[in-house]
Amino acid sequence: MVVTLWNETFSVTADRAGAELKSICFRGRERLWQNENGSWSGHAPILFPVCGATTIRLGGRVYPCPRHGFARGALFTVAEQSETYVRFRLMSNEETRPLYPFEFRFDVVYTLTSDALSIAYEIHNPGRDVLYASCGAHDSFALAGEVREYALRFAETEHFDSYLTDREGRLTGETKSIGVGDTLDLATPLLDGGESICLDRLHSRRVTLFSKATGRNVAQVDFPESEKLVLWHPTGSRMLCIEPWQTLPDTAGETLDFTEKDGVLAVPPGATVRITHRITYGDEA
């Protein structure tokens, strides 16, 4: 089932399958990657209860949660809906418990205003024990040109030290410096090679994607609760994924308990944690 939201500037579709956005038309122009060259069939999958290649290890027991979690392959219900708002919901069930032993309610909320799309992930703990989880976005941004023709402007000065990953998507423990400042040029071999740029402990909570030739903005992304940001570009595509995450992937060989992993959210019984980001689109594509 596909849900459609609309107002005077947006037409947005999202699917109950994974609660994933399938199309974002802003002022008549498609802003989500539509797999024009067959390099990636996703659009904006949602990562829960883990981000990337992460092992859920609890008290010595390992749970076979898939890479990026199971939410992207789950069927959500529609809990609330209006013309400009929808709340998708996923509850713990017989299929999730063997992969992830916690009781949970996970809501994905999309809200349109005249110039922006707001996205919220709400993790509610209905159980009696503390719930541990991570979540993240994997939003794509369609581009009119090649990714090397664009750059990202950060709200603060940053040291762009990217954590390197192996073929399994786990961190190697090494980093590569790709600059210092408030602007990250996307003409970098890391993106050209289909690898991810994994940034941690950012001071910024806002990035702006813009054309180097015209200076005009493609989109601004605000992520107030996240200090980690992953960038990814499928080889040959005209798109960039801008992904605020709560946690980065495991380091290869890591045996840390999931409850001790940096960035994992601890949700007390009866409590709800809300993680948000907001996309404001510009005139450039």
Side-chain angles (χ1 to χ4, degrees):
M1 173 185 171
V2 173
V3 171
T4 300
L5 307 179
W6 69 92
N7 61 17
E8 64 272 21
T9 50
F10 279 100
S11 176
V12 173
T13 59
D15 201 320
R16 282 183 57 200
E20 184 180 2
L21 294 163
K22 296 295 186 179
S23 173
I24 302 175
C25 285
F26 177 69
R27 294 179 179 167
R29 184 184 297 167
E30 179 61 64
R31 300 306 186 103
L32 268 185
W33 169 246
Q34 298 298 313
N35 200 23
E36 286 85 354
N37 72 343
S39 63
W40 185 55
S41 61
H43 306 277
I46 294 164
L47 317 184
F48 174 85
V50 299
C51 299
T54 297
T55 298
I56 296 182
R57 182 178 285 103
L58 295 165
R61 179 174 176 180
V62 173
Y63 293 84
C65 190
R67 183 173 178 174
H68 289 326
F70 51 71
R72 61 181 180 153
L75 186 64
F76 286 65
T77 60
V78 177
E80 297 177 301
Q81 183 184 358
S82 71
E83 288 184 356
T84 59
Y85 166 91
V86 65
R87 176 181 293 270
F88 291 103
R89 176 163 293 167
L90 179 66
M91 304 284 291
S92 50
N93 55 58
E94 293 181 358
E95 294 182 356
T96 67
R97 291 185 189 105
L99 307 176
Y100 176 69
F102 298 101
E103 297 300 307
F104 68 86
R105 185 182 75 212
F106 180 55
D107 286 5
V108 177
V109 183
Y110 298 116
T111 306
L112 294 180
T113 60
S114 61
D115 64 346
L117 171 63
S118 294
I119 303 168
Y121 306 140
E122 296 181 0
I123 306 169
H124 176 72
N125 181 1
R128 297 181 178 180
D129 301 313
V130 176
L131 179 158
Y132 294 91
S134 183
C135 62
H138 204 312
D139 305 330
S140 64
F141 293 81
L143 303 172
E146 303 298 327
V147 71
R148 63 178 176 269
E149 299 170 21
Y150 296 82
L152 279 176
R153 183 179 299 110
F154 287 69
E156 307 286 345
T157 297
E158 305 286 355
H159 286 78
F160 299 117
D161 297 324
S162 177
Y163 287 84
L164 301 181
T165 57
D166 61 19
R167 292 184 178 180
E168 304 301 320
R170 299 184 186 273
L171 305 184
T172 64
E174 300 177 315
T175 61
K176 179 178 178 62
S177 176
I178 47 178
V180 178
D182 65 357
T183 302
L184 178 61
D185 193 330
L186 297 178
T188 168
L190 283 177
L191 289 179
D192 287 343
E195 298 181 49
S196 296
I197 294 175
C198 299
L199 304 174
D200 194 7
R201 307 192 189 285
L202 291 174
H203 302 291
S204 302
R205 295 294 182 269
R206 171 184 294 172
V207 294
T208 303
L209 176 63
F210 68 96
S211 164
K212 293 188 291 186
T214 67
R216 293 188 298 184
N217 294 346
V218 175
Q220 172 184 294
V221 183
D222 292 87
F223 44 97
E225 294 87 21
S226 304
E227 67 172 11
K228 306 174 196 305
L229 192 70
V230 175
L231 308 172
W232 179 67
H233 158 72
T235 302
S237 68
R238 290 191 167 188
M239 65 88 95
L240 177 73
C241 284
I242 302 175
E243 311 172 26
W245 288 10
Q246 291 303 297
T247 55
L248 291 181
D250 287 347
T251 300
E254 181 177 314
T255 58
L256 195 67
D257 196 86
F258 186 61
T259 63
E260 300 174 353
K261 185 175 177 62
D262 179 51
V264 165
L265 302 165
V267 187
T272 302
V273 171
R274 181 179 170 92
I275 305 297
T276 64
H277 66 287
R278 175 184 171 95
I279 303 171
T280 306
Y281 290 97
D283 294 328
E284 188 79 18

